[in-house]
Amino acid sequence: RMDQALLLVRNELPAQGLRLAALSGACHQCLDQFLAFIPPSNGTLRNPGTTAVMVDTQHPLTLLLNSSLGDGELCKIQYHFGEFGNYSLVVKTLSTSTKTVSCELVINEGPINSYLPILFAFLVYMGILAILIVGHLLMKIGPVRSWVYKKLNPRETDRLINSELGSPNTTDSISSDPTPRLWSTASRQRLRSLDTFRGLSLIIMVFVNYGGGKYWFFKHESWNGKLYFPSVLFSRFVFIMGTSISLSLSSMLKWGSSKQKVLWKILWRSFLLILLGIIVVNPNYCLGPLSWDNLRIPGVLQRLGFTYLVVAALELLFTRAGPESATLETPCPALQDILPYWPQWIFILILEVIWLCLTFLLPVPGCPRGYLGPGGIGDFGSYPNCTGGAAGYIDRLLLGEKHMYQHPSSSVIYQTTMPYDPEGILGTINTIFMAFLGLQAGKIILFYKDHHKQIMSRFVIWSIVMGIISAILTKCSKEEGFIPINKNLWSISYVTTMSCFAFILLLLIYYLVDVKRLWSGAPFFYPGMNSILVYIGHEVFENYFPFKWKMQDSQSHAEHLTQNLTATTLWVIISYLLYKRKIFWKI
């Protein structure tokens, strides 16, 4: 199967059987896992004891061979097997006098290069991009452009010229998305970089949710450390949501909306997000009424809804209407986008203190205080039922085990048996912190409006500060820091690390799209304009044609990658068509 290789163990030792165990390189402080017992040889080389086992190819493995006679460890081999490879492990005695045992790993059939489909897909998309760029350059040639427009509907000519790769007009923007127009009262133009940032994160999230070609690096990591693609996507979405909150609330208040009316919109939008989230993560509603017995309560949209409620209400409470809010004088000009909102920072710091106290001081039955591990076979099997420590305990206590995610990513490598929800209650505190940092990016854009160098320099400073905090919290280590980077827990170090990258990414997109206008933001701009529709749509229609079909070989990365890329591309096309028809779904 995918991510597996065949290992044939040949035991040529005449008097003793062998116990084969394995330990994954991705499993921190884990118990070795028994794979197979290999019977002894019958005394001749022609009839060795043989056993075939499947081994994992996603991460390096340590193979441990022990004698059934209790003579201790005979061999220890570290090797990274290749996918669909065929290997033999030959165990024999080199010298009968010294009884020296030799373990030799032989490649019977080489593994396949499972990454070739990714290379091919990359070349295809680069070819499509090259064609589009050439077409765009040709359209700048007057005779060519005139000929093309003549072939089109004459009534559409002016509209196409004016809207080609452009933003919706003022009326459409107001009806489609609450993100404000920043640059001036006259232009009231959207920041395309924000929609591009949102769309980029969303499209990669859709691709990953559809399977990511079944490649291991497009899956969630088991616990601490390595940041695979899924780990950075949700956090970016939260970050840009915070940025949009700052800009949209400032715009609505500036154009005359009362705080009571804005608060009602915040409450209604949060309610709809949470409601839609509960429906999306419980797909069995199509089989009948939802059953409370096994209804999963947390989820991505639920967390987004609650985070939006807290951060938007916090911003609404302290924001000021009018252009003067962006020019407040402070004792320290370098902190003019922070000091006027010191009550917000105190509130966020209080939330973080609550998170720290609950995480490290809350007594959890059967678990050490402050435990941040995965449980299962981790920590040498000492705390098998302590997955997530206080975070998991709070969810099980308040929500109940049946209302949580039943198949956490830790169950694969760490073989955990306890349900654990990565969108649980305690982690929501740090999600609020992440959105608040995005809110800070929005404040920077408002305070330094039209001053691109100041905006970009502030983004760099914030990125450096967040990176330094991450380095301190983690000690630049995967497992040995004070608070390791952990997406399942949404640890503080995870938030500071992701915000460090988010500030840099926003800086790059802002520079290319809104400052130098070297890039229109396409194609990511279009799904960014219809983010809720694309996210909910890809979840609801995940198992329907043309987003999914019966494959000839379910163990082929190439087929899975083709299907997942096709489905993702379809959502980009759908969002583009909706954009051209000025159809935007907001809640």
Side-chain angles (χ1 to χ4, degrees):
R1 302 182 61 181
M2 285 188 295
D3 300 325
Q4 287 185 341
L6 176 65
L7 177 64
L8 181 66
V9 186
R10 293 166 52 91
N11 181 13
E12 298 181 2
L13 303 180
Q16 52 184 322
L18 300 176
R19 179 186 181 273
L20 176 65
L23 182 62
S24 172
C27 199
H28 179 64
Q29 294 183 345
C30 290
L31 297 172
D32 59 82
Q33 297 303 294
F34 174 78
L35 292 182
F37 175 79
I38 301 92
S41 169
N42 63 359
T44 64
L45 295 179
R46 294 182 178 180
N47 295 296
T50 59
T51 299
V53 296
M54 299 296 177
V55 291
D56 179 63
T57 62
Q58 298 182 45
H59 308 284
L61 287 182
T62 300
L63 298 178
L64 305 171
L65 274 171
N66 295 281
S67 170
S68 60
L69 301 179
D71 295 336
E73 185 178 287
L74 298 179
C75 296
K76 183 177 182 180
I77 300 175
Q78 292 182 337
Y79 193 77
H80 195 164
F81 293 92
E83 190 173 23
F84 295 113
N86 190 321
Y87 303 84
S88 290
L89 179 59
V90 182
V91 184
K92 57 186 177 180
T93 303
L94 291 179
S95 171
T96 55
S97 58
T98 60
K99 295 184 178 181
T100 303
V101 175
S102 167
C103 299
E104 181 183 4
L105 190 64
V106 180
I107 302 177
N108 303 323
E109 183 178 347
I112 67 169
N113 189 344
S114 59
Y115 303 117
L116 285 179
I118 295 181
L119 176 61
F120 180 76
F122 175 78
L123 294 176
V124 169
Y125 277 91
M126 287 299 101
I128 296 174
L129 178 61
I131 293 173
L132 293 175
I133 292 176
V134 171
H136 182 69
L137 294 176
L138 289 175
M139 288 295 292
K140 291 185 177 181
I141 303 175
V144 176
R145 182 171 62 249
S146 300
W147 181 84
V148 172
Y149 287 152
K150 287 179 180 179
K151 296 296 182 181
L152 298 174
N153 186 345
R155 294 183 178 179
E156 294 292 306
T157 300
D158 292 336
R159 186 185 67 82
L160 289 172
I161 293 174
N162 294 329
S163 66
E164 183 185 9
L165 297 179
S167 300
N169 59 36
T170 302
T171 304
D172 299 324
S173 297
I174 294 175
S175 64
S176 64
D177 193 286
T179 309
R181 280 59 60 191
L182 295 175
W183 305 122
S184 67
T185 304
S187 65
R188 297 171 66 181
Q189 184 181 2
R190 291 177 66 92
L191 269 179
R192 293 180 67 91
S193 56
L194 300 187
D195 293 311
T196 303
F197 186 104
R198 185 188 301 111
L200 173 63
S201 303
L202 175 62
I203 287 304
I204 301 178
M205 183 186 296
V206 169
F207 171 69
V208 168
N209 288 348
Y210 276 147
K214 298 297 182 182
Y215 288 101
W216 61 269
F217 44 80
F218 287 127
K219 301 176 183 177
H220 292 282
E221 70 276 11
S222 292
W223 205 247
N224 290 338
K226 294 182 180 179
L227 296 174
Y228 302 144
F229 280 91
S231 301
V232 303
L233 301 176
F234 185 29
S235 62
R236 287 178 183 173
F237 212 79
V238 172
F239 181 88
I240 204 64
M241 180 183 72
T243 306
S244 299
I245 288 173
S246 177
L247 304 181
S248 62
L249 293 187
S250 174
S251 178
M252 284 188 285
L253 293 176
K254 180 179 179 180
W255 293 106
S257 297
S258 65
K259 284 195 173 184
Q260 291 79 7
K261 184 178 180 180
V262 175
L263 179 60
W264 169 250
K265 289 183 178 180
I266 292 172
L267 293 172
W268 179 244
R269 188 170 194 239
S270 301
F271 169 76
L272 288 179
L273 282 172
I274 294 172
L275 179 63
L276 288 171
I278 291 176
I279 294 175
V280 167
V281 300
N282 295 281
N284 290 331
Y285 62 85
C286 59
L287 302 179
L290 286 174
S291 172
W292 178 255
D293 293 339
N294 298 292
L295 185 75
R296 182 187 172 193
I297 299 176
V300 171
L301 288 179
Q302 295 93 305
R303 179 172 283 191
L304 283 176
F306 186 78
T307 301
Y308 175 82
L309 173 63
V310 174
V311 177
L314 183 65
E315 174 67 3
L316 179 65
L317 183 62
F318 294 99
T319 193
R320 300 182 184 181
E324 68 277 2
S325 62
T327 57
L328 294 175
E329 294 185 1
T330 60
C332 182
L335 300 178
Q336 63 176 332
D337 54 342
I338 300 176
L339 292 181
Y341 299 96
W342 61 267
Q344 293 179 339
W345 282 96
I346 291 179
F347 178 81
I348 293 298
L349 290 175
I350 291 174
L351 286 183
E352 290 306 312
V353 170
I354 293 174
W355 185 86
L356 289 169
C357 291
L358 290 175
T359 300
F360 292 100
L361 301 179
L362 181 68
V364 179
C367 307
R369 191 164 297 189
Y371 182 71
L372 298 176
I377 63 174
D379 300 295
F380 305 110
S382 301
Y383 317 109
N385 298 323
C386 294
T387 303
Y393 174 68
I394 290 173
D395 289 341
R396 292 191 293 271
L397 184 66
L398 299 181
L399 302 178
E401 293 187 5
K402 292 184 178 181
H403 301 296
M404 298 166 55
Y405 189 51
Q406 300 297 311
H407 308 286
S409 58
S410 58
S411 63
V412 179
I413 290 181
Y414 288 96
Q415 300 184 18
T416 58
T417 58
M418 300 293 291
Y420 179 82
D421 208 306
E423 279 78 50
I425 297 173
L426 191 57
T428 305
I429 292 178
N430 285 337
T431 308
I432 293 171
F433 181 34
M434 184 77 189
F436 185 76
L437 292 172
L439 187 80
Q440 186 62 39
K443 285 187 173 70
I444 291 172
I445 294 173
L446 289 174
F447 271 88
Y448 300 98
K449 182 168 54 179
D450 288 329
H451 299 284
H452 302 311
K453 289 185 179 180
Q454 286 86 340
I455 291 174
M456 292 187 291
S457 63
R458 295 293 290 182
F459 285 170
V460 171
I461 292 172
W462 272 97
S463 178
I464 293 174
V465 170
M466 292 296 105
I468 292 174
I469 295 175
S470 296
I472 294 173
L473 292 176
T474 63
K475 298 181 181 179
C476 298
S477 168
K478 175 183 176 182
E479 302 284 354
E480 305 303 326
F482 300 109
I483 303 178
I485 296 174
N486 190 299
K487 191 266 179 186
N488 284 291
L489 296 172
W490 269 77
S491 60
I492 296 179
S493 56
Y494 170 77
V495 170
T496 54
T497 303
M498 291 299 97
S499 60
C500 170
F501 296 150
F503 274 110
I504 290 297
L505 180 61
L506 182 57
L507 163 66
L508 294 175
I509 296 178
Y510 175 77
Y511 178 77
L512 293 174
V513 175
D514 287 317
V515 178
K516 292 298 184 180
R517 302 185 185 274
L518 299 174
W519 177 31
S520 68
F524 306 112
F525 170 77
Y526 306 114
M529 290 287 292
N530 254 319
S531 56
I532 296 297
L533 185 147
V534 172
Y535 181 82
I536 294 179
H538 100 276
E539 289 278 4
V540 172
F541 297 103
E542 177 181 4
N543 295 316
Y544 294 90
F545 183 83
F547 305 103
K548 192 173 185 179
W549 59 83
K550 185 177 181 180
M551 293 183 290
Q552 296 293 325
D553 183 6
S554 62
Q555 299 303 314
S556 167
H557 281 293
E559 287 202 43
H560 281 283
L561 186 64
T562 300
Q563 185 180 89
N564 302 152
L565 285 175
T566 300
T568 305
T569 303
L570 284 174
W571 282 113
V572 175
I573 295 173
I574 290 171
S575 62
Y576 171 77
L577 295 176
L578 293 173
Y579 173 82
K580 284 300 182 182
R581 292 181 176 271
K582 296 180 173 58
I583 299 174
F584 306 101
W585 184 32
K586 71 168 187 174
I587 58 175

